[in-house]
Short mmCIF file of all heavy atoms in Angstrom, two decimals:
data_model
loop_
_atom_site.label_atom_id
_atom_site.label_comp_id
_atom_site.label_asym_id
_atom_site.label_seq_id
_atom_site.Cartn_x
_atom_site.Cartn_y
_atom_site.Cartn_z
N MET A 28 15.53 2.93 -7.71
CA MET A 28 14.54 3.78 -8.22
C MET A 28 13.40 3.94 -7.27
O MET A 28 12.92 2.95 -6.77
CB MET A 28 14.07 3.05 -9.56
CG MET A 28 13.14 3.95 -10.26
SD MET A 28 13.17 3.32 -12.02
CE MET A 28 11.35 3.32 -12.30
N GLY A 29 12.96 5.21 -7.16
CA GLY A 29 11.79 5.49 -6.30
C GLY A 29 10.57 5.77 -7.09
O GLY A 29 10.61 6.20 -8.34
N TYR A 30 9.34 5.72 -6.54
CA TYR A 30 8.16 6.05 -7.15
C TYR A 30 7.60 7.24 -6.22
O TYR A 30 7.61 7.20 -5.06
CB TYR A 30 7.19 4.99 -7.04
CG TYR A 30 7.68 3.75 -7.99
CD1 TYR A 30 8.41 2.69 -7.53
CD2 TYR A 30 7.26 3.74 -9.33
CE1 TYR A 30 8.83 1.67 -8.31
CE2 TYR A 30 7.72 2.77 -10.16
CZ TYR A 30 8.50 1.77 -9.70
OH TYR A 30 8.93 0.68 -10.56
N PHE A 31 6.99 8.20 -6.96
CA PHE A 31 6.47 9.40 -6.18
C PHE A 31 4.92 9.36 -6.37
O PHE A 31 4.33 8.92 -7.41
CB PHE A 31 6.92 10.74 -6.91
CG PHE A 31 8.40 10.82 -6.50
CD1 PHE A 31 9.44 10.51 -7.48
CD2 PHE A 31 8.74 11.59 -5.48
CE1 PHE A 31 10.78 10.71 -7.20
CE2 PHE A 31 10.20 11.72 -5.14
CZ PHE A 31 11.14 11.22 -5.98
N SER A 32 4.33 9.77 -5.31
CA SER A 32 2.90 9.93 -5.16
C SER A 32 2.55 11.19 -4.47
O SER A 32 3.25 11.60 -3.67
CB SER A 32 2.19 8.62 -4.34
OG SER A 32 2.38 7.54 -5.15
N LYS A 33 1.35 11.62 -4.73
CA LYS A 33 0.77 12.86 -4.08
C LYS A 33 -0.25 12.42 -3.10
O LYS A 33 -1.15 11.67 -3.50
CB LYS A 33 0.35 13.90 -4.89
CG LYS A 33 1.50 14.61 -5.55
CD LYS A 33 1.04 15.86 -6.38
CE LYS A 33 2.12 16.56 -6.91
NZ LYS A 33 1.83 17.85 -7.65
N LEU A 34 -0.29 13.00 -1.94
CA LEU A 34 -1.34 12.73 -0.96
C LEU A 34 -2.61 13.41 -1.53
O LEU A 34 -2.58 14.64 -1.75
CB LEU A 34 -0.99 13.02 0.48
CG LEU A 34 -2.10 12.70 1.58
CD1 LEU A 34 -2.05 11.17 1.71
CD2 LEU A 34 -1.57 13.37 2.72
N GLN A 35 -3.77 12.68 -1.65
CA GLN A 35 -5.00 13.26 -1.98
C GLN A 35 -5.90 13.41 -0.74
O GLN A 35 -5.95 12.48 0.02
CB GLN A 35 -5.61 12.49 -3.06
CG GLN A 35 -4.81 12.37 -4.34
CD GLN A 35 -5.48 11.60 -5.35
OE1 GLN A 35 -6.53 11.01 -5.28
NE2 GLN A 35 -4.81 11.62 -6.55
N VAL A 36 -6.65 14.41 -0.72
CA VAL A 36 -7.53 14.68 0.55
C VAL A 36 -9.01 14.96 -0.07
O VAL A 36 -9.12 15.72 -0.96
CB VAL A 36 -7.23 15.85 1.37
CG1 VAL A 36 -8.10 15.96 2.58
CG2 VAL A 36 -5.81 15.66 2.00
N ILE A 37 -9.99 14.19 0.37
CA ILE A 37 -11.39 14.44 0.01
C ILE A 37 -12.13 14.91 1.18
O ILE A 37 -12.10 14.30 2.25
CB ILE A 37 -11.94 13.24 -0.49
CG1 ILE A 37 -11.14 12.63 -1.68
CG2 ILE A 37 -13.51 13.36 -0.83
CD1 ILE A 37 -11.88 12.10 -2.79
N GLN A 38 -12.70 16.19 1.13
CA GLN A 38 -13.47 16.77 2.20
C GLN A 38 -14.99 16.42 1.97
O GLN A 38 -15.47 16.86 0.91
CB GLN A 38 -13.08 18.18 2.21
CG GLN A 38 -13.78 18.97 3.27
CD GLN A 38 -13.18 18.94 4.65
OE1 GLN A 38 -12.07 18.97 4.68
NE2 GLN A 38 -13.99 18.81 5.61
N ARG A 39 -15.64 15.82 2.93
CA ARG A 39 -17.08 15.55 2.81
C ARG A 39 -17.60 16.32 4.09
O ARG A 39 -17.49 16.05 5.23
CB ARG A 39 -17.28 14.19 2.88
CG ARG A 39 -16.77 13.49 1.58
CD ARG A 39 -17.33 12.01 1.61
NE ARG A 39 -17.08 11.46 0.29
CZ ARG A 39 -15.93 10.62 0.05
NH1 ARG A 39 -14.98 10.39 0.99
NH2 ARG A 39 -15.74 10.11 -1.16
N GLY A 40 -18.44 17.37 3.73
CA GLY A 40 -19.03 18.17 4.74
C GLY A 40 -18.11 18.89 5.50
O GLY A 40 -16.95 19.35 5.00
N ASP A 41 -18.35 19.43 6.72
CA ASP A 41 -17.52 20.17 7.52
C ASP A 41 -16.41 19.36 8.28
O ASP A 41 -15.45 19.88 8.68
CB ASP A 41 -18.26 21.02 8.56
CG ASP A 41 -19.15 22.05 7.79
OD1 ASP A 41 -18.82 22.45 6.72
OD2 ASP A 41 -20.21 22.51 8.39
N GLN A 42 -16.63 18.03 8.63
CA GLN A 42 -15.76 17.43 9.43
C GLN A 42 -15.11 16.14 8.85
O GLN A 42 -14.12 15.82 9.21
CB GLN A 42 -16.48 16.90 10.63
CG GLN A 42 -17.08 18.22 11.56
CD GLN A 42 -17.85 17.65 12.68
OE1 GLN A 42 -18.16 16.52 12.83
NE2 GLN A 42 -18.16 18.65 13.68
N ASN A 43 -15.72 15.58 8.04
CA ASN A 43 -15.21 14.35 7.41
C ASN A 43 -14.11 14.44 6.31
O ASN A 43 -14.52 15.10 5.34
CB ASN A 43 -16.36 13.40 6.83
CG ASN A 43 -17.29 12.92 7.94
OD1 ASN A 43 -16.92 12.89 9.09
ND2 ASN A 43 -18.52 12.77 7.67
N ARG A 44 -12.87 14.00 6.57
CA ARG A 44 -11.87 14.16 5.54
C ARG A 44 -11.40 12.76 5.34
O ARG A 44 -11.19 11.98 6.31
CB ARG A 44 -10.73 14.98 6.07
CG ARG A 44 -11.06 16.42 5.85
CD ARG A 44 -9.77 17.20 6.09
NE ARG A 44 -9.54 17.12 7.61
CZ ARG A 44 -8.51 17.72 8.32
NH1 ARG A 44 -7.84 18.47 7.69
NH2 ARG A 44 -8.38 17.55 9.42
N GLN A 45 -11.02 12.36 4.16
CA GLN A 45 -10.42 11.04 3.84
C GLN A 45 -9.06 11.33 3.01
O GLN A 45 -9.17 12.26 2.15
CB GLN A 45 -11.34 10.24 3.07
CG GLN A 45 -12.46 9.72 3.80
CD GLN A 45 -13.33 8.75 2.98
OE1 GLN A 45 -13.70 9.03 1.81
NE2 GLN A 45 -13.71 7.68 3.67
N TYR A 46 -7.99 10.69 3.46
CA TYR A 46 -6.77 10.80 2.71
C TYR A 46 -6.47 9.61 1.95
O TYR A 46 -6.71 8.45 2.33
CB TYR A 46 -5.60 10.92 3.86
CG TYR A 46 -5.70 12.30 4.60
CD1 TYR A 46 -6.64 12.45 5.79
CD2 TYR A 46 -4.97 13.44 4.27
CE1 TYR A 46 -6.73 13.62 6.37
CE2 TYR A 46 -5.08 14.54 4.98
CZ TYR A 46 -6.00 14.69 6.03
OH TYR A 46 -6.08 15.84 6.68
N TYR A 47 -5.97 9.79 0.81
CA TYR A 47 -5.64 8.76 -0.14
C TYR A 47 -4.19 8.93 -0.63
O TYR A 47 -3.74 9.91 -1.03
CB TYR A 47 -6.56 8.73 -1.41
CG TYR A 47 -8.00 8.38 -1.08
CD1 TYR A 47 -8.89 9.53 -0.75
CD2 TYR A 47 -8.57 7.11 -1.17
CE1 TYR A 47 -10.29 9.35 -0.45
CE2 TYR A 47 -9.73 6.92 -0.85
CZ TYR A 47 -10.70 7.88 -0.51
OH TYR A 47 -12.04 7.65 -0.29
N LEU A 48 -3.43 7.82 -0.54
CA LEU A 48 -2.11 7.66 -1.02
C LEU A 48 -2.14 6.71 -2.09
O LEU A 48 -2.43 5.49 -1.87
CB LEU A 48 -1.10 7.35 0.03
CG LEU A 48 0.39 7.30 -0.45
CD1 LEU A 48 0.71 8.72 -0.78
CD2 LEU A 48 1.22 6.86 0.74
N ILE A 49 -1.98 6.98 -3.47
CA ILE A 49 -2.00 6.18 -4.50
C ILE A 49 -0.71 5.46 -4.79
O ILE A 49 0.29 5.91 -4.74
CB ILE A 49 -2.35 7.02 -5.77
CG1 ILE A 49 -3.65 7.83 -5.65
CG2 ILE A 49 -2.49 6.12 -7.10
CD1 ILE A 49 -4.87 7.07 -5.35
N CYS A 50 -0.86 4.17 -4.94
CA CYS A 50 0.27 3.14 -5.25
C CYS A 50 0.46 3.16 -6.79
O CYS A 50 -0.47 2.86 -7.53
CB CYS A 50 -0.05 1.84 -4.63
SG CYS A 50 1.35 0.72 -4.98
N PRO A 51 1.62 3.74 -7.33
CA PRO A 51 1.84 3.56 -8.80
C PRO A 51 1.61 2.08 -9.23
O PRO A 51 1.99 1.13 -8.58
CB PRO A 51 3.14 4.00 -8.89
CG PRO A 51 3.49 4.71 -7.81
CD PRO A 51 2.69 4.21 -6.68
N ALA A 52 0.98 2.02 -10.51
CA ALA A 52 0.77 0.65 -11.13
C ALA A 52 2.04 -0.18 -11.23
O ALA A 52 2.05 -1.34 -10.91
CB ALA A 52 0.07 0.92 -12.39
N ALA A 53 3.12 0.38 -11.55
CA ALA A 53 4.39 -0.30 -11.87
C ALA A 53 4.75 -0.92 -10.42
O ALA A 53 5.23 -2.05 -10.41
CB ALA A 53 5.49 0.67 -12.28
N LEU A 54 4.70 -0.19 -9.30
CA LEU A 54 5.03 -0.65 -8.07
C LEU A 54 4.09 -1.90 -7.48
O LEU A 54 4.44 -2.89 -7.18
CB LEU A 54 4.98 0.46 -6.98
CG LEU A 54 5.44 0.19 -5.58
CD1 LEU A 54 6.77 -0.46 -5.53
CD2 LEU A 54 5.26 1.34 -4.76
N ALA A 55 2.69 -1.61 -7.84
CA ALA A 55 1.85 -2.76 -7.50
C ALA A 55 2.18 -3.97 -8.24
O ALA A 55 2.02 -5.05 -7.67
CB ALA A 55 0.48 -2.19 -7.72
N ALA A 56 2.48 -3.80 -9.53
CA ALA A 56 2.65 -4.96 -10.32
C ALA A 56 3.93 -5.74 -9.96
O ALA A 56 3.93 -6.96 -9.80
CB ALA A 56 2.81 -4.47 -11.80
N ALA A 57 5.03 -4.91 -9.57
CA ALA A 57 6.33 -5.56 -9.11
C ALA A 57 6.02 -6.33 -7.82
O ALA A 57 6.70 -7.27 -7.54
CB ALA A 57 7.27 -4.53 -8.98
N LEU A 58 5.09 -5.89 -6.93
CA LEU A 58 4.80 -6.47 -5.65
C LEU A 58 3.77 -7.48 -5.78
O LEU A 58 3.37 -8.13 -4.82
CB LEU A 58 4.35 -5.38 -4.68
CG LEU A 58 5.54 -4.50 -4.29
CD1 LEU A 58 4.92 -3.26 -3.41
CD2 LEU A 58 6.57 -5.08 -3.58
N GLU A 59 3.23 -7.70 -6.96
CA GLU A 59 2.10 -8.64 -7.29
C GLU A 59 0.87 -8.42 -6.37
O GLU A 59 0.34 -9.32 -5.83
CB GLU A 59 2.57 -10.17 -7.16
CG GLU A 59 3.54 -10.40 -8.11
CD GLU A 59 4.31 -11.79 -8.11
OE1 GLU A 59 3.75 -12.57 -7.25
OE2 GLU A 59 5.07 -12.19 -8.78
N MET A 60 0.66 -7.16 -6.13
CA MET A 60 -0.60 -6.63 -5.36
C MET A 60 -1.88 -7.02 -6.10
O MET A 60 -1.91 -6.83 -7.26
CB MET A 60 -0.43 -5.26 -4.88
CG MET A 60 0.82 -4.98 -4.08
SD MET A 60 0.92 -3.21 -3.63
CE MET A 60 -0.18 -3.20 -2.30
N GLU A 61 -2.92 -7.13 -5.34
CA GLU A 61 -4.21 -7.52 -5.91
C GLU A 61 -5.31 -6.55 -5.37
O GLU A 61 -5.11 -6.14 -4.20
CB GLU A 61 -4.60 -8.87 -5.81
CG GLU A 61 -3.72 -9.88 -6.47
CD GLU A 61 -4.14 -11.35 -6.45
OE1 GLU A 61 -5.28 -11.57 -6.22
OE2 GLU A 61 -3.36 -12.24 -6.80
N LYS A 62 -6.27 -6.32 -6.15
CA LYS A 62 -7.43 -5.49 -5.75
C LYS A 62 -7.97 -6.04 -4.38
O LYS A 62 -8.18 -7.17 -4.19
CB LYS A 62 -8.55 -5.43 -6.71
CG LYS A 62 -9.65 -4.52 -6.50
CD LYS A 62 -10.68 -4.65 -7.48
CE LYS A 62 -11.90 -3.82 -7.22
NZ LYS A 62 -12.99 -3.84 -8.24
N GLY A 63 -8.27 -5.12 -3.50
CA GLY A 63 -8.83 -5.51 -2.14
C GLY A 63 -7.85 -6.00 -1.11
O GLY A 63 -8.21 -6.36 -0.02
N GLU A 64 -6.62 -6.06 -1.41
CA GLU A 64 -5.56 -6.69 -0.51
C GLU A 64 -5.44 -5.71 0.69
O GLU A 64 -5.46 -4.48 0.56
CB GLU A 64 -4.35 -6.86 -1.30
CG GLU A 64 -3.32 -7.64 -0.51
CD GLU A 64 -2.14 -7.88 -1.34
OE1 GLU A 64 -2.16 -7.78 -2.61
OE2 GLU A 64 -1.15 -8.31 -0.80
N GLU A 65 -5.52 -6.34 1.89
CA GLU A 65 -5.35 -5.45 3.12
C GLU A 65 -3.76 -5.25 3.46
O GLU A 65 -2.91 -6.09 3.31
CB GLU A 65 -5.95 -6.08 4.28
CG GLU A 65 -7.41 -6.13 4.37
CD GLU A 65 -8.03 -6.63 5.59
OE1 GLU A 65 -7.24 -6.69 6.72
OE2 GLU A 65 -9.13 -6.92 5.68
N LEU A 66 -3.51 -4.02 3.82
CA LEU A 66 -2.14 -3.60 4.01
C LEU A 66 -2.13 -2.88 5.42
O LEU A 66 -3.10 -2.30 5.80
CB LEU A 66 -1.67 -2.45 2.97
CG LEU A 66 -1.80 -2.91 1.60
CD1 LEU A 66 -1.44 -1.69 0.58
CD2 LEU A 66 -0.88 -4.05 1.33
N GLU A 67 -1.09 -3.18 6.22
CA GLU A 67 -0.83 -2.49 7.47
C GLU A 67 0.13 -1.40 7.42
O GLU A 67 1.24 -1.64 6.81
CB GLU A 67 -0.46 -3.62 8.42
CG GLU A 67 -0.03 -3.15 9.84
CD GLU A 67 0.40 -4.31 10.69
OE1 GLU A 67 0.92 -5.28 10.23
OE2 GLU A 67 0.53 -4.08 11.93
N TRP A 68 -0.15 -0.30 7.99
CA TRP A 68 0.79 0.74 7.88
C TRP A 68 1.43 1.01 9.34
O TRP A 68 0.67 1.13 10.35
CB TRP A 68 0.06 2.17 7.63
CG TRP A 68 -0.60 2.18 6.16
CD1 TRP A 68 -1.28 1.29 5.65
CD2 TRP A 68 -0.43 3.19 5.30
NE1 TRP A 68 -1.73 1.67 4.33
CE2 TRP A 68 -1.19 2.90 4.13
CE3 TRP A 68 0.27 4.47 5.23
CZ2 TRP A 68 -1.26 3.62 3.06
CZ3 TRP A 68 0.17 5.16 4.20
CH2 TRP A 68 -0.65 4.85 3.00
N ILE A 69 2.68 0.93 9.37
CA ILE A 69 3.41 0.97 10.66
C ILE A 69 4.14 2.37 10.64
O ILE A 69 4.94 2.65 9.76
CB ILE A 69 4.43 -0.26 10.87
CG1 ILE A 69 3.63 -1.46 10.85
CG2 ILE A 69 5.12 0.13 12.10
CD1 ILE A 69 3.93 -2.41 9.76
N ILE A 70 3.96 3.09 11.66
CA ILE A 70 4.79 4.46 11.71
C ILE A 70 6.02 4.22 12.54
O ILE A 70 5.96 3.79 13.72
CB ILE A 70 3.93 5.50 12.44
CG1 ILE A 70 2.58 5.68 11.67
CG2 ILE A 70 4.66 6.78 12.66
CD1 ILE A 70 1.53 6.58 12.34
N LYS A 71 7.12 4.40 11.88
CA LYS A 71 8.49 4.33 12.39
C LYS A 71 8.96 5.60 13.16
O LYS A 71 9.35 5.62 14.43
CB LYS A 71 9.54 4.05 11.43
CG LYS A 71 9.32 2.53 10.80
CD LYS A 71 9.51 1.55 11.90
CE LYS A 71 9.43 0.09 11.18
NZ LYS A 71 9.61 -0.88 12.14
N ASP A 72 8.73 6.74 12.50
CA ASP A 72 8.87 8.12 13.11
C ASP A 72 8.29 9.11 12.11
O ASP A 72 7.53 8.65 11.19
CB ASP A 72 10.30 8.43 13.25
CG ASP A 72 11.26 8.47 11.96
OD1 ASP A 72 10.64 9.01 10.91
OD2 ASP A 72 12.30 7.80 11.95
N ARG A 73 8.30 10.27 12.29
CA ARG A 73 7.56 11.30 11.58
C ARG A 73 7.88 11.22 10.14
O ARG A 73 7.09 11.68 9.31
CB ARG A 73 7.92 12.68 12.21
CG ARG A 73 7.11 13.70 11.55
CD ARG A 73 7.41 15.11 12.24
NE ARG A 73 6.77 16.19 11.40
CZ ARG A 73 6.84 17.37 11.64
NH1 ARG A 73 7.48 17.87 12.61
NH2 ARG A 73 6.24 18.17 10.79
N HIS A 74 9.05 10.91 9.87
CA HIS A 74 9.42 10.82 8.34
C HIS A 74 9.51 9.48 7.70
O HIS A 74 9.68 9.34 6.45
CB HIS A 74 10.76 11.41 8.18
CG HIS A 74 10.70 12.86 8.69
ND1 HIS A 74 10.29 13.83 8.11
CD2 HIS A 74 11.42 13.33 9.91
CE1 HIS A 74 10.45 15.02 8.83
NE2 HIS A 74 11.07 14.63 9.89
N THR A 75 9.24 8.36 8.46
CA THR A 75 9.41 6.98 7.99
C THR A 75 8.09 6.13 8.30
O THR A 75 7.74 6.19 9.59
CB THR A 75 10.59 6.33 8.54
OG1 THR A 75 11.67 7.17 8.26
CG2 THR A 75 10.85 4.89 7.87
N PHE A 76 7.49 5.48 7.41
CA PHE A 76 6.56 4.52 7.73
C PHE A 76 6.76 3.24 6.92
O PHE A 76 7.44 3.35 5.79
CB PHE A 76 5.15 5.06 7.70
CG PHE A 76 4.67 5.42 6.29
CD1 PHE A 76 4.04 4.53 5.45
CD2 PHE A 76 4.78 6.86 5.84
CE1 PHE A 76 3.64 5.03 4.08
CE2 PHE A 76 4.40 7.21 4.60
CZ PHE A 76 3.68 6.28 3.83
N GLN A 77 6.17 2.35 7.32
CA GLN A 77 6.32 0.95 6.53
C GLN A 77 4.99 0.44 6.17
O GLN A 77 3.99 0.57 6.93
CB GLN A 77 7.00 0.02 7.49
CG GLN A 77 7.61 -1.26 6.99
CD GLN A 77 8.28 -1.95 8.15
OE1 GLN A 77 7.79 -2.15 9.06
NE2 GLN A 77 9.62 -2.29 7.87
N ILE A 78 4.84 -0.18 5.09
CA ILE A 78 3.60 -0.77 4.63
C ILE A 78 3.85 -2.25 4.68
O ILE A 78 4.74 -2.66 3.87
CB ILE A 78 3.07 -0.19 3.31
CG1 ILE A 78 2.77 1.28 3.36
CG2 ILE A 78 1.83 -0.94 2.97
CD1 ILE A 78 2.51 1.87 2.03
N ARG A 79 2.87 -3.04 5.20
CA ARG A 79 3.16 -4.44 5.14
C ARG A 79 1.77 -5.20 4.74
O ARG A 79 0.84 -4.81 5.15
CB ARG A 79 3.70 -4.88 6.49
CG ARG A 79 3.86 -6.29 6.69
CD ARG A 79 4.38 -6.54 8.11
NE ARG A 79 4.36 -5.62 9.11
CZ ARG A 79 5.03 -5.74 10.35
NH1 ARG A 79 5.75 -6.70 10.61
NH2 ARG A 79 4.90 -4.78 11.25
N ARG A 80 1.98 -6.27 4.10
CA ARG A 80 0.68 -7.08 3.93
C ARG A 80 0.13 -7.63 5.11
O ARG A 80 0.85 -8.04 6.01
CB ARG A 80 0.94 -8.21 2.85
CG ARG A 80 1.22 -7.75 1.46
CD ARG A 80 1.29 -9.07 0.62
NE ARG A 80 1.18 -8.67 -0.75
CZ ARG A 80 2.16 -8.51 -1.58
NH1 ARG A 80 3.32 -8.87 -1.40
NH2 ARG A 80 1.83 -8.39 -2.99
N ALA A 81 -1.23 -7.52 5.35
CA ALA A 81 -1.91 -7.96 6.51
C ALA A 81 -1.78 -9.52 6.49
O ALA A 81 -1.49 -10.08 7.49
CB ALA A 81 -3.21 -7.55 6.72
N LYS A 82 -1.94 -10.06 5.34
CA LYS A 82 -1.80 -11.54 5.16
C LYS A 82 -0.87 -11.75 4.09
O LYS A 82 -0.81 -11.03 3.06
CB LYS A 82 -3.14 -12.11 4.88
CG LYS A 82 -4.22 -12.09 5.98
CD LYS A 82 -5.47 -12.72 5.62
CE LYS A 82 -6.48 -12.48 6.57
NZ LYS A 82 -7.80 -13.08 6.31
N ALA A 83 -0.10 -12.90 4.14
CA ALA A 83 0.91 -13.22 3.08
C ALA A 83 0.08 -13.56 1.74
O ALA A 83 -0.96 -14.16 1.79
CB ALA A 83 1.64 -14.42 3.42
N ALA A 84 0.45 -12.98 0.71
CA ALA A 84 -0.09 -13.26 -0.67
C ALA A 84 0.09 -14.77 -0.95
O ALA A 84 1.10 -15.26 -0.75
CB ALA A 84 0.45 -12.41 -1.70
N PRO A 85 -0.93 -15.45 -1.58
CA PRO A 85 -0.73 -16.78 -1.99
C PRO A 85 0.41 -16.90 -3.16
O PRO A 85 0.35 -16.02 -4.01
CB PRO A 85 -2.11 -17.29 -2.46
CG PRO A 85 -2.77 -16.10 -2.71
CD PRO A 85 -2.18 -15.02 -1.90
N SER A 86 1.20 -17.79 -2.98
CA SER A 86 2.43 -17.87 -3.93
C SER A 86 1.96 -18.75 -5.02
O SER A 86 1.16 -19.57 -5.00
CB SER A 86 3.66 -18.52 -3.19
OG SER A 86 3.22 -19.87 -2.77
N ALA A 87 2.48 -18.44 -6.08
CA ALA A 87 2.08 -19.20 -7.37
C ALA A 87 2.66 -20.59 -7.27
O ALA A 87 3.73 -20.76 -6.82
CB ALA A 87 2.67 -18.52 -8.59
N PRO A 88 1.86 -21.60 -7.75
CA PRO A 88 2.42 -22.91 -7.68
C PRO A 88 3.69 -23.15 -8.48
O PRO A 88 3.84 -22.61 -9.52
CB PRO A 88 1.26 -23.83 -8.33
CG PRO A 88 0.23 -22.84 -8.90
CD PRO A 88 0.58 -21.52 -8.49
N ARG A 89 4.72 -23.86 -7.83
CA ARG A 89 6.00 -24.14 -8.53
C ARG A 89 5.91 -25.42 -9.23
O ARG A 89 5.35 -26.38 -8.75
CB ARG A 89 7.07 -24.00 -7.49
CG ARG A 89 7.20 -22.73 -6.85
CD ARG A 89 8.37 -22.76 -5.92
NE ARG A 89 8.54 -21.52 -5.34
CZ ARG A 89 9.46 -21.22 -4.45
NH1 ARG A 89 10.26 -22.18 -3.90
NH2 ARG A 89 9.54 -19.99 -3.94
N SER A 90 6.46 -25.50 -10.36
CA SER A 90 6.68 -26.77 -11.07
C SER A 90 7.90 -27.54 -10.56
O SER A 90 8.88 -26.82 -10.34
CB SER A 90 6.67 -26.52 -12.57
OG SER A 90 7.78 -25.77 -12.90
N ARG A 91 7.89 -28.76 -10.44
CA ARG A 91 8.99 -29.56 -9.86
C ARG A 91 9.72 -30.12 -11.11
O ARG A 91 9.17 -30.65 -11.96
CB ARG A 91 8.54 -30.66 -9.04
CG ARG A 91 7.84 -30.23 -7.84
CD ARG A 91 7.53 -31.43 -6.94
NE ARG A 91 8.65 -31.50 -6.03
CZ ARG A 91 8.56 -32.36 -4.98
NH1 ARG A 91 7.56 -33.14 -4.78
NH2 ARG A 91 9.65 -32.55 -4.20
N HIS A 92 11.03 -29.98 -11.10
CA HIS A 92 11.80 -30.58 -12.18
C HIS A 92 12.49 -31.71 -11.70
O HIS A 92 13.12 -31.72 -10.53
CB HIS A 92 12.84 -29.47 -12.66
CG HIS A 92 12.35 -28.27 -13.27
ND1 HIS A 92 11.80 -28.26 -14.43
CD2 HIS A 92 12.15 -27.04 -12.75
CE1 HIS A 92 11.37 -27.13 -14.78
NE2 HIS A 92 11.48 -26.35 -13.71
N GLU A 93 12.33 -32.88 -12.33
CA GLU A 93 13.02 -34.11 -11.95
C GLU A 93 14.15 -34.47 -12.82
O GLU A 93 14.30 -34.14 -13.87
CB GLU A 93 11.83 -35.29 -11.80
CG GLU A 93 10.89 -34.93 -10.71
CD GLU A 93 9.90 -35.98 -10.76
OE1 GLU A 93 10.17 -37.22 -10.89
OE2 GLU A 93 8.65 -35.66 -10.35
#
C-alpha cells in the first residue's frame, strides 16, 4: 500500500522558496517517528530518493521472559 503526498511550496519575497513534503500520519506512526527527528534524503536518480533516519531511534525496552 502506498501513501500519497503533494509537494508544497512557500514563496517568501522574490527569491526565497521553501519546499515541504508532508509525511502522512499513518506512515509516521507505522515508522514510530517523533517530532523533531532528523532525516537524511538520498537521491538515487531523478525518479527515486530514499529517506533515512540520521540517528537510530531509541528502541523500546524489551521485557525478558524466563
Side-chain angles (χ1 to χ4, degrees):
M28 179 162 132
Y30 293 93
F31 291 92
S32 291
K33 288 189 177 183
L34 184 66
Q35 298 178 358
V36 180
I37 303 217
Q38 180 81 35
R39 291 190 173 95
D41 291 334
Q42 298 176 352
N43 295 332
R44 283 186 293 186
Q45 291 182 313
Y46 293 82
Y47 294 90
L48 184 61
I49 304 302
C50 179
L54 181 57
L58 294 170
E59 298 178 1
M60 297 176 81
E61 296 190 14
K62 180 180 177 178
E64 192 170 345
E65 282 190 22
L66 304 173
E67 176 184 14
W68 296 51
I69 299 117
I70 299 170
K71 295 293 186 178
D72 59 47
R73 185 177 169 181
H74 301 285
T75 309
F76 65 91
Q77 196 175 52
I78 301 173
R79 175 172 22 190
R80 284 185 164 107
K82 296 180 182 177
S86 58
R89 295 181 180 178
S90 61
R91 296 182 94 172
H92 296 285
E93 295 181 29

